[in-house]
Amino acid sequence: GGINYAWDNDLPASATHIISPTTTTTYNVTATASNDCQNTASITITVAPLPEIVASADPNSICVGEQTTIVASGGTAYIWDNNLGAGDSHKISPSETTIYSVTGTDENFCSSTANIEVVVHEAFTVQVQPENPELCMGESILLSVSTTAENPNFMWNSNQQTEQISVSPSSSTSYIVTVTDKSNCKG
């Protein structure tokens, strides 16, 4: 509406400005017409706060082959990376430790991002020696477990909790051992 413009908020004289205020701010401009008459106008730019997006997993530490659920909160719409797409929650079963990022948008169309790391504990091996042993009635045999599990705990289907057991079955019998590692993963 004028030919010269004087702005407050340390803006230089110009008809237009690209601004990026960090808080809600009112801008006043005085326009001068060709006849040296002046008039003032103002505009208030409302700055909405960024949403506080939170990403979580329950549980955030799993064993290979297990599932967990990742959940986003703090917004009204969410987009996840790792090809998960939209939604506030997803069931996942990663094969290795993975960081998932989610961008959440609120009712003001403002957005921010949060991350959650899902820790996947490595698989371990379990072997019983000797494999498929044969023995005669009345004989006994020592069954031993070898495993790559860290800090293993042992539980046999015969309720024994040791790395080795001596057995003397009266008929063909299957012995099963479950090994639990320090991360509570089982093999």
Side-chain angles (χ1 to χ4, degrees):
I3 58 171
N4 294 312
Y5 304 93
W7 293 87
D8 63 358
N9 291 305
D10 297 323
L11 294 175
S14 175
T16 60
H17 290 285
I18 296 175
I19 57 170
S20 183
T22 57
T23 60
T24 298
T25 305
T26 300
Y27 295 88
N28 298 297
V29 63
T30 301
T32 304
S34 57
N35 61 4
D36 290 333
C37 292
Q38 294 182 331
N39 201 356
T40 302
S42 65
I43 185 168
T44 299
I45 305 297
T46 302
V47 178
L50 293 176
E52 292 184 26
I53 302 301
V54 175
S56 61
D58 185 24
N60 71 334
S61 177
I62 61 173
C63 304
V64 170
E66 291 182 341
Q67 278 190 338
T68 188
T69 302
I70 53 176
V71 179
S73 60
T76 57
Y78 308 94
I79 299 290
W80 293 85
D81 68 351
N82 289 304
N83 296 317
L84 293 177
D88 62 346
S89 67
H90 292 278
K91 284 192 175 185
I92 56 169
S93 183
S95 59
E96 61 186 6
T97 297
T98 305
I99 295 175
Y100 294 88
S101 295
V102 60
T103 299
T105 305
D106 66 9
E107 62 277 353
N108 297 312
F109 302 103
C110 296
S111 61
S112 60
T113 301
N115 299 321
I116 182 67
E117 180 179 44
V118 176
V119 176
V120 179
H121 300 287
E122 293 182 20
F124 56 86
T125 61
V126 177
Q127 292 182 331
V128 176
Q129 296 297 329
E131 291 183 28
N132 302 316
E134 292 184 14
L135 60 149
C136 297
M137 181 75 73
E139 293 180 339
S140 63
I141 191 166
L142 186 66
L143 301 177
S144 298
V145 179
S146 62
T147 181
T148 58
E150 289 187 53
N151 302 327
N153 289 313
F154 306 95
M155 176 56 80
W156 292 85
N157 62 338
S158 58
N159 289 327
Q160 293 166 287
Q161 298 179 6
T162 59
E163 190 173 349
Q164 297 180 334
I165 62 171
S166 179
V167 296
S168 181
S170 58
S171 62
S172 294
T173 305
S174 292
Y175 291 90
I176 301 169
V177 63
T178 300
V179 176
T180 305
D181 73 357
K182 69 176 186 174
S183 301
N184 207 32
C185 295
K186 297 184 185 310

